[in-house]
Amino acid sequence: MGCGGCRVRFNFGKVLSKASVFFTMVLIFTYFFYCLTGLCDSAPRTLYSQKFADGGDDNLDERSQVLVDLRPPPPLHPGAQLHNRTAYLDAPQVDAEEQLQQQYEQGSEKETNSIPVSNTYGTKRLPNAIIIGVKKGGTRALLEFLRIHPDVRAFGAEPHFFDRFYDRGLEWYRNLMPRTLDGQITMEKTPSYFVTKEAPSRVCTMNCQTKLIVVVRDPVTRAVSDYTQTLTKNPGLPSFQSLALKNSSTGLVDTTWSAVRIGLYAKHLENWLQYFPLSHFLFVSGERLVSDPAGEMGRVQDFLGLKRVISEKHFYFNQTKGFPCLKKPEGSSRPRCLGKSKGRPHPQIPSEVLQRLRDFYRPFNQRFYQMSGQDFGWD
């Protein structure tokens, strides 16, 4: 009897031990299952890698190509036959709002630094700084270079809040932005803000202390680049000279054409200076952003109050594209260059047309040099 009692007690102890191991294994399995399905993304983790990487995103070419397609002005409807200037200027545009909404629904958190969409760290804030212009000046390159910095978080697409979607309200705009921690800067870029009459007052209504970055480029080269981009999407466009000049015999420049009008930097800046002091602007040279990206990025980091993290070691010059690229991040299979649309060859424009445009822009350029305090050497 005594031995039987010992045997019962011994077997009962073995049962408890096995049950304990079983439940422990169940708990461990459940934990790993939840982590693998992304339900534990809110667990503490390192938000930003201090290495040169944007979260190891090796698909910048493809991503940039998608984002470039959101740039204003949107492409004209397929099949539209543009036989004259009026048809080109007044042609309907695609619904950019639908494209932006699709981008937002995919999760703006994926836009920068590979932070998981479900991560709840940080706060969505209105931008501290905005790249407001100019189209075809180098704004996409600047934004991608800035996103190397661990203290910069930027919305990757162009939200167009202050020119197209202002009626949606600041809360809608805020929700587009990525989450940031204290000490980090929230940014966005929409080049059409610089030429939008209502944009300065609207930005100031949000925050008159907002820092404003304008990437400028020789207005003649910029106009040709603008035309080239549109031409690739709409091969039926009239010639550059027929759009740029009202009359080829008189050589009168048509300032109603957006490709010409955008290059009147002094006139656009006058509008912004009614609401912001000059000290709130940084004018970045699109040419130097190509020839000396590290130097221009040093100026940008100083203007934003950031530590100079982005330097020469992050860039190399791609001879094929004619643009600087970001060096290959550790663990990546390839370097990171802008999309295939960058560096496309320009069409041949008659030299007399280009000279007429240079003569036209010269007084506006000189005025812009005086207003900005910088001589960009376009003349």
Side-chain angles (χ1 to χ4, degrees):
M1 291 292 291
C3 291
C6 291
R7 191 178 301 112
V8 171
R9 286 193 296 273
F10 177 76
N11 290 340
F12 182 72
K14 290 180 65 177
V15 170
L16 284 178
S17 177
K18 290 181 178 180
S20 176
V21 172
F22 173 77
F23 283 112
T24 300
M25 293 300 294
V26 169
L27 288 174
I28 292 174
F29 175 82
T30 303
Y31 173 79
F32 279 108
F33 174 80
Y34 271 72
C35 283
L36 289 173
T37 55
L39 295 177
C40 61
D41 277 338
S42 58
R45 64 181 67 202
T46 301
L47 287 179
Y48 298 92
S49 169
Q50 295 302 316
K51 298 177 182 178
F52 168 60
D54 232 357
D57 181 1
D58 298 326
N59 298 314
L60 186 58
D61 278 341
E62 291 78 5
R63 181 181 67 182
S64 293
Q65 185 62 46
V66 172
L67 298 180
V68 165
D69 288 340
L70 293 177
R71 286 186 170 188
L76 307 180
H77 285 307
Q81 298 298 315
L82 303 178
H83 300 292
N84 52 55
R85 179 190 315 277
T86 303
Y88 168 63
L89 294 175
D90 298 335
Q93 299 179 336
V94 299
D95 189 355
E97 180 177 3
E98 180 179 348
Q99 289 181 309
L100 180 61
Q101 187 62 32
Q102 290 174 355
Q103 178 73 47
Y104 178 52
E105 288 172 355
Q106 292 172 1
S108 62
E109 296 295 348
K110 294 189 292 184
E111 290 290 339
T112 54
N113 297 313
S114 294
I115 302 298
V117 177
S118 57
N119 198 297
T120 56
Y121 272 103
T123 304
K124 287 179 176 286
R125 297 179 172 92
L126 293 169
N128 313 89
I130 303 176
I131 301 173
I132 60 173
V134 298
K135 180 186 177 187
K136 305 308 297 178
T139 58
R140 170 55 55 187
L142 176 61
L143 186 69
E144 293 301 330
F145 295 166
L146 269 173
R147 289 166 71 178
I148 299 170
H149 204 292
D151 289 335
V152 173
R153 299 275 282 131
F155 183 61
E158 295 174 2
H160 287 280
F161 174 67
F162 295 106
D163 58 350
R164 297 184 187 175
F165 306 129
Y166 192 65
D167 60 340
R168 292 189 165 225
L170 283 174
E171 197 57 33
W172 177 85
Y173 183 50
R174 186 201 306 273
N175 285 329
L176 291 179
M177 298 300 122
R179 296 181 184 277
T180 55
L181 302 175
D182 291 342
Q184 292 179 323
I185 292 176
T186 302
M187 293 189 67
E188 68 113 322
K189 76 108 179 170
T190 303
S192 54
Y193 291 163
F194 190 59
V195 299
T196 300
K197 183 178 180 181
E198 300 82 8
S201 62
R202 291 172 174 178
V203 174
C204 190
T205 298
M206 176 188 74
N207 183 1
C208 287
Q209 300 304 312
T210 304
K211 294 185 176 183
L212 307 168
I213 300 177
V214 188
V215 188
V216 290
R217 182 184 183 189
D218 182 336
V220 177
T221 309
R222 196 221 66 81
V224 175
S225 181
D226 196 340
Y227 173 78
T228 303
Q229 182 185 52
T230 309
L231 184 65
T232 59
K233 299 176 182 179
N234 301 280
L237 280 181
S239 67
F240 178 88
Q241 51 267 39
S242 66
L243 292 169
L245 304 178
K246 288 183 177 180
N247 188 305
S248 58
S249 59
T250 63
L252 187 63
V253 174
D254 189 353
T255 57
T256 64
W257 185 32
S258 65
V260 169
R261 189 173 62 252
I262 290 173
L264 302 174
Y265 303 143
K267 297 185 72 68
H268 303 308
L269 182 56
E270 285 176 353
N271 186 34
W272 282 87
L273 289 177
Q274 296 181 51
Y275 299 90
F276 292 89
L278 190 62
S279 59
H280 285 207
F281 292 86
L282 177 69
F283 302 97
V284 176
S285 167
E287 288 85 3
R288 286 196 294 270
L289 198 59
V290 172
S291 63
D292 182 21
E296 282 300 282
M297 292 309 298
R299 295 180 60 239
V300 175
Q301 290 171 95
D302 291 346
F303 174 71
L304 295 175
L306 297 169
K307 181 180 178 181
R308 285 201 175 196
V309 172
I310 308 167
S311 63
E312 293 87 350
K313 68 180 181 180
H314 293 116
F315 302 98
Y316 83 95
F317 192 80
N318 186 310
Q319 296 290 345
T320 302
K321 295 179 73 65
F323 282 92
C325 295
L326 303 176
K327 288 184 178 178
K328 183 171 64 175
E330 184 176 331
S332 171
S333 61
R334 61 178 177 175
R336 298 169 48 203
C337 291
L338 295 179
K340 297 177 182 178
S341 64
K342 301 302 179 183
R344 60 166 72 93
H346 289 176
Q348 289 293 322
I349 309 295
S351 58
E352 59 271 19
V353 175
L354 296 178
Q355 186 58 52
R356 178 67 194 94
L357 283 174
R358 290 191 185 97
D359 294 340
F360 167 77
Y361 278 121
R362 186 170 293 110
F364 294 100
N365 291 344
Q366 292 297 328
R367 174 61 177 153
F368 181 64
Y369 297 165
Q370 295 172 356
M371 296 173 69
S372 64
Q374 294 178 236
D375 186 337
F376 292 91
W378 298 323
D379 302 308

